Amino acid sequence: MENIEDLAVLEVSSENQTPFSLKHESRDSITDISNVSTPNDCSMVQSISLESFSFSNELEGFESGLNVKDLVVRVDNPQKHLDSLETYITFRITTRTSREEYSENEYVVRRRYNDFVWIRQKLVDGFPTHVVPPLPAKHSLIGQLDRYSREFVLCRMAMLHRFLNRIVSHPILSSHSTMHLFLTAKPAEFLVHRRNSDSIIGRMTGSLQQIANSYACQKTEPEFETVKDYVETLSEKLSTLEKIGERIQKERKDHVAELNNFFPVFTSWAGIEPVLRPLLLDIGVAEETISSALQKRLISSYQIHFSQPLHEYLLYLESINEALERRDNIQIEYELAVEELNKLKSEKDELINSDPADTPASFSIWKPASCQDKLEKLNLSIPKLLKTVETNQDKMEIANENLRADMERWYVEKKVDLKRILIKMADQHMKYYQESVEAWEKVLPSLKETSNYDNVTTLS
């Protein structure tokens, strides 16, 4: 097995050719993208450094994870696969565990994005009243051509890593048998299981959703209404940040483009100004340094340090809303059963209290059902429906407890997640401004020399 300290590498493999990859380098190195053509001249190899990740602290925690957790995972080492039908990326998932249900302490498997989609849906089907964390959004039609770029692969890998770590940190979701299969099964076994497993519960959830579309909860628990309002408000705030951030990012790119045209002017100007030459050259270097710092600290890092984590958190809020909706569906099912039970009980009371002489005579070829027959049917239906009501009430109470527990966990995680995003943003800005100040401080000696020269000239 590969050393866990190795660099994550995007490799290219083909069903008809021997796979190859870039050589592994130390984690301390930051490598650039290098393009390598296969014999078919249709593939690209990208070397991606783990140090580029916005969640590098999480990856470092993997080494000592079992000291505090009984299940830890890491997603890295993306590989590009080529076959006659499609091109796709797989990611390596390394799992370390001390749980009894796992026969080994470490597993290494490869999964593609669609496999992550499958496991998430299985968890939603199996635990509809829990908050199942979101996956990174599927690439847009415009982004289709760019889905093998270094930036896209890095962001997707980071989000998949965070998705799995949220799952394995959840005491209920991480214990699901399908999750065990996802983390341990060999490719052939996993593929067979995927093909043979039909989402029956998913279809049931869909039928409940159809009921919910035509029926609203009579009275939702106030605590969950408060959660809905808070999630909606937070989502609006984060969406506003995302939109403004995109505008600022565009302005930064335009600014860098202008700076790249700006500093060469000072260099060429210095050629015709012997006296001002040192100052003009230093100003040109300062502007070039500021341009590079802006590109490195704020523009290149924007997607992976701010935009993508922020968007992923918006998806997380959507997942919470989905869980709240599924909980409402269960309440709707309970209320409909109660409504039907009350209807049957009222019908029974009317039959018991009715006077047979008041029943109008009717002429029909069918023998009308007697009052006693109706009562017998109701006496059979009411106990069954009462049991259904009790079952649905139990489901609703369990759903409430599940959501309460997940919300308590989420409120704690939210502080850590959003704090990490904001601290990283502040850190990148401070580094940019620090490098800008240092660049201008280097201009000061030349500026003083020019001022001294002017004073000497004036005295002369």
Side-chain angles (χ1 to χ4, degrees):
M1 186 173 60
E2 298 176 51
N3 191 324
I4 56 176
E5 294 296 325
D6 287 345
L7 184 68
V9 176
L10 179 62
E11 299 172 332
V12 176
S13 63
S14 173
E15 301 298 329
N16 301 320
Q17 298 171 6
T18 303
F20 67 93
S21 66
L22 294 178
K23 66 179 182 179
H24 288 182
E25 301 182 34
S26 68
R27 285 174 62 113
D28 295 332
S29 64
I30 302 294
T31 55
D32 296 325
I33 296 177
S34 58
N35 296 334
V36 180
S37 297
T38 63
N40 293 332
D41 197 27
C42 60
S43 62
M44 179 176 66
V45 177
Q46 295 176 320
S47 181
I48 302 174
S49 170
L50 288 177
E51 300 301 328
S52 302
F53 292 177
S54 59
F55 58 95
S56 57
N57 291 335
E58 297 176 32
L59 287 172
E60 291 168 3
F62 178 80
E63 306 303 326
S64 57
L66 286 182
N67 294 334
V68 293
K69 298 180 181 179
D70 58 2
L71 180 63
V72 292
V73 296
R74 183 175 75 181
V75 179
D76 63 5
N77 191 248
Q79 289 184 355
K80 184 178 180 182
H81 299 260
L82 304 175
D83 60 32
S84 56
L85 297 177
E86 61 178 337
T87 300
Y88 59 93
I89 302 290
T90 64
F91 301 91
R92 179 175 63 188
I93 303 173
T94 305
T95 304
R96 289 182 177 178
T97 182
S98 58
R99 292 188 180 182
E100 293 182 356
E101 61 264 32
Y102 290 84
S103 58
E104 300 178 18
N105 294 328
E106 184 170 300
Y107 297 86
V108 179
V109 297
R110 300 202 71 85
R111 300 286 184 253
R112 57 189 296 183
Y113 177 79
N114 287 344
D115 298 330
F116 285 86
V117 174
W118 176 82
I119 186 60
R120 184 182 186 276
Q121 188 57 51
K122 295 297 289 184
L123 293 174
V124 170
D125 293 346
F127 304 100
T129 56
H130 280 288
V131 177
V132 181
L135 284 169
K138 204 170 181 65
H139 54 77
S140 63
L141 185 61
I142 297 177
Q144 174 79 12
L145 299 177
D146 201 35
R147 61 186 174 135
Y148 303 118
S149 69
R150 178 180 184 274
E151 183 179 80
F152 182 87
V153 173
L154 270 175
C155 286
R156 171 161 285 188
M157 182 159 57
M159 297 304 105
L160 292 177
H161 174 88
R162 187 167 291 123
F163 164 76
L164 270 192
N165 273 273
R166 282 175 172 155
I167 295 295
V168 300
S169 297
H170 195 287
I172 305 300
L173 300 181
S174 64
S175 301
H176 195 267
S177 58
T178 312
M179 192 65 197
H180 180 283
L181 180 89
F182 180 83
L183 295 175
T184 64
K186 301 296 183 183
E189 178 189 356
F190 183 73
L191 185 60
V192 169
H193 187 86
R194 274 202 59 178
R195 287 175 175 173
N196 293 339
S197 61
D198 234 351
S199 181
I200 299 175
I201 302 179
R203 292 197 293 270
M204 292 171 61
T205 304
S207 64
L208 288 177
Q209 185 61 51
Q210 291 177 359
I211 295 174
N213 289 337
S214 57
Y215 188 95
C217 292
Q218 295 178 2
K219 184 180 179 181
T220 307
E221 294 287 338
E223 61 181 306
F224 297 121
E225 284 296 326
T226 301
V227 171
K228 286 181 182 179
D229 293 340
Y230 176 77
V231 168
E232 181 180 356
T233 301
L234 180 58
S235 180
E236 290 175 357
K237 301 296 183 186
L238 296 184
S239 295
T240 301
L241 284 179
E242 186 180 37
K243 292 175 183 177
I244 295 174
E246 290 296 329
R247 293 201 296 268
I248 293 175
Q249 177 74 348
K250 182 180 182 302
E251 291 173 1
R252 285 173 182 157
K253 290 180 178 180
D254 293 340
H255 184 52
V256 164
E258 294 296 341
L259 284 177
N260 290 337
N261 293 326
F262 189 57
F263 68 79
V265 175
F266 287 93
T267 304
S268 60
W269 185 11
I272 59 173
E273 294 284 354
V275 176
L276 297 177
R277 177 180 173 82
L279 177 60
L280 293 174
L281 289 176
D282 285 349
I283 291 176
V285 170
E287 293 288 0
E288 184 178 9
T289 301
I290 292 170
S291 175
S292 299
L294 180 58
Q295 179 66 46
K296 178 181 178 181
R297 300 299 181 188
L298 301 183
I299 296 178
S300 298
S301 65
Y302 173 77
Q303 284 292 333
I304 200 165
H305 289 319
F306 183 77
S307 176
Q308 191 66 26
L310 195 65
H311 185 70
E312 187 260 355
Y313 219 80
L314 283 168
L315 295 176
Y316 203 171
L317 296 177
E318 289 182 14
S319 296
I320 294 174
N321 276 326
E322 290 170 2
L324 290 169
E325 288 176 4
R326 292 192 295 269
R327 180 250 165 227
D328 288 348
N329 292 345
I330 293 175
Q331 180 175 339
I332 288 172
E333 190 179 19
Y334 165 71
E335 290 177 353
L336 288 174
V338 170
E339 187 177 306
E340 181 65 19
L341 179 62
N342 292 334
K343 180 180 177 181
L344 293 183
K345 285 182 177 180
S346 298
E347 186 177 345
K348 179 181 177 180
D349 292 339
E350 289 177 4
L351 288 172
I352 292 175
N353 297 326
S354 64
D355 186 352
D358 295 336
T359 304
S362 60
F363 298 93
S364 173
I365 60 174
W366 302 104
K367 183 180 180 180
S370 67
C371 178
Q372 188 62 34
D373 291 339
K374 291 181 179 179
L375 282 174
E376 288 178 359
K377 290 181 180 179
L378 289 172
N379 286 334
L380 291 174
S381 300
I382 288 176
K384 293 180 181 179
L385 193 53
L386 180 61
K387 187 175 181 179
T388 299
V389 168
E390 292 173 350
T391 301
N392 289 346
Q393 185 177 19
D394 290 342
K395 287 181 180 179
M396 188 174 68
E397 291 175 356
I398 292 172
N400 291 343
E401 289 302 316
N402 288 342
L403 270 177
R404 287 190 188 104
D406 280 7
M407 287 299 95
E408 289 178 6
R409 189 179 300 107
W410 176 69
Y411 280 125
V412 174
E413 292 177 353
K414 171 180 63 78
K415 294 178 182 178
V416 176
D417 292 338
L418 296 180
K419 183 178 179 181
R420 179 174 53 218
I421 295 173
L422 297 175
I423 287 178
K424 193 64 183 181
M425 179 183 70
D427 181 62
Q428 292 298 105
H429 277 78
M430 286 189 293
K431 288 179 179 178
Y432 163 67
Y433 289 118
Q434 183 179 2
E435 292 174 16
S436 298
V437 169
E438 291 174 353
W440 282 115
E441 285 177 344
K442 292 180 181 179
V443 178
L444 291 177
S446 299
L447 186 61
K448 290 180 180 178
E449 289 181 7
T450 303
S451 298
N452 293 336
Y453 179 82
D454 290 342
N455 292 335
V456 171
T457 304
T458 303
L459 292 173
S460 300

